Amino acid sequence: MKVHPEAKLSDQEIAVIEDYVRALPDKNYPKDTVRKKTSEDEFKLWKKNHISIDSVPISPNGVRYSDDFKNWKVLSLNTLYGETMRVTYGNDVVVNAIEAEQFDPIPDGAIVVKAVWEQVENKHGEISPGKFINVQFMVKDAKKYKDTEGWGFAKFSTQNLIPYGNTPNFAVTSCISCHRLKAKETGYLFNVPLKINTKS
Ligand code: HEC
């Protein structure tokens, strides 16, 4: 006996759900902290330029990749030129600093992570994250990262999480300049929501 015959999905509805499921982002996260096999050339280059401890990708300035951000609060979700989608996460230290509007300075231990995907649009005009592109870190340690205003920058690209930069001070030329625009207002961070939680 059919209990809910009217609940049968039309072909078009099934197609919409299939498109949606196909575009789900989870499978596109870098899976874990262990480096996957890279092509031989990529690996040689990586070995030449970076120290490796327990196979966790490390930026030339010492910022280590970690999966922890996947459990943190989301500070923002945005798209750039309709080409990429970005999710920015913050650990408790930075979330508390934002809530307290403590930007000068944001305390040591704060970490902000931005994950970037290609943006795909299905035939119904819905957008979702496609292929994983890179994940970018900003780690606050005033003593360690004096040359870049106390922030340790890092970028890990592709599913292989290849670290960006050839020398420890790559961020002086490649990263800090834009972020200085936000120095006073929000402690060098762009993605700062007005209030993450309303506690009232
Ligand atoms: C051309 C200017 C520019 C440069 C250079 C730049 N950034 Fe950013 N960055 C931005 C903007 C704008 C945002 C906010 C928009 C967004 O989410 O993409 C941002 C956001 C971020 C965030 C999220 C935290 C925040 O401030 O919102 C991280 C992490 C980050 N960038 C890391 C890096 C790293 C690592 C480098 C160097 C490899 C770098 N950035 C170089 C402009 C820049």
Side-chain angles (χ1 to χ4, degrees), residues 52-65:
S52 158
I53 305 169
D54 355 313
S55 320
V56 175
I58 305 171
S59 178
N61 57 358
V63 174
R64 296 168 72 103
Y65 175 82

Side-chain angles (χ1 to χ4, degrees), residues 76 78 80 86 88 112-114 136-138 153-155 164 170-171 174-179 188-192:
S76 90
N78 54 28
L80 192 68
R86 292 112 192 285
T88 302
V112 185
V113 173
K114 179 174 88 173
Q136 302 177 30
F137 282 57
M138 285 174 69
F153 288 82
K155 180 158 89 174
Y164 177 84
F170 72 92
S174 299
C175 304
I176 190 65
S177 53
C178 293
H179 284 264
Y188 300 90
L189 297 178
F190 282 95
N191 288 296
V192 171

Side-chain angles (χ1 to χ4, degrees), residues 28-196:
N28 289 322
Y29 266 109
K31 288 276 185 307
D32 48 44
T33 54
V34 178
R35 274 170 53 80
K36 312 282 175 334
K37 270 208 176 110
T38 56
S39 78
E40 205 166 326
D41 284 351
E42 262 178 345
F43 186 63
K44 271 190 196 146
L45 187 71
W46 188 84
K47 255 184 115 175
K48 192 172 138 250
N49 295 327
H50 308 94
I51 344 139
S52 158
I53 305 169
D54 355 313
S55 320
V56 175
I58 305 171
S59 178
N61 57 358
V63 174
R64 296 168 72 103
Y65 175 82
S66 156
D67 278 337
D68 293 352
F69 69 89
K70 294 174 190 175
N71 299 316
W72 297 347
K73 279 198 174 142
V74 170
L75 301 180
S76 90
L77 165 65
N78 54 28
T79 84
L80 192 68
Y81 311 126
E83 286 169 9
T84 58
M85 295 188 86
R86 292 112 192 285
V87 182
T88 302
Y89 306 81
N91 71 354
D92 284 350
V93 179
V94 81
V95 167
N96 291 339
I98 291 170
E99 281 175 356
E101 295 179 13
Q102 187 191 344
F103 295 119
D104 190 20
I106 290 179
D108 278 10
I111 310 180
V112 185
V113 173
K114 179 174 88 173
V116 184
W117 290 265
E118 280 176 9
Q119 179 170 316
V120 287
E121 188 174 341
N122 72 13
K123 56 179 184 279
H124 310 288
E126 294 152 350
I127 58 165
S128 55
K131 194 172 149 204
F132 170 77
I133 300 175
N134 66 46
V135 60
Q136 302 177 30
F137 282 57
M138 285 174 69
V139 176
K140 188 71 199 288
D141 184 331
K143 272 202 196 125
K144 199 166 172 188
Y145 299 111
K146 275 195 190 117
D147 291 348
T148 44
E149 318 285 3
W151 284 103
F153 288 82
K155 180 158 89 174
F156 304 97
S157 296
T158 78
Q159 287 281 345
N160 294 319
L161 298 171
I162 309 217
Y164 177 84
N166 289 321
T167 59
N169 65 350
F170 72 92
V172 174
T173 44
S174 299
C175 304
I176 190 65
S177 53
C178 293
H179 284 264
R180 278 208 180 97
L181 298 173
K182 290 288 181 182
K184 289 245 161 59
E185 205 185 322
T186 44
Y188 300 90
L189 297 178
F190 282 95
N191 288 296
V192 171
L194 288 178
K195 282 284 172 205
I196 298 172

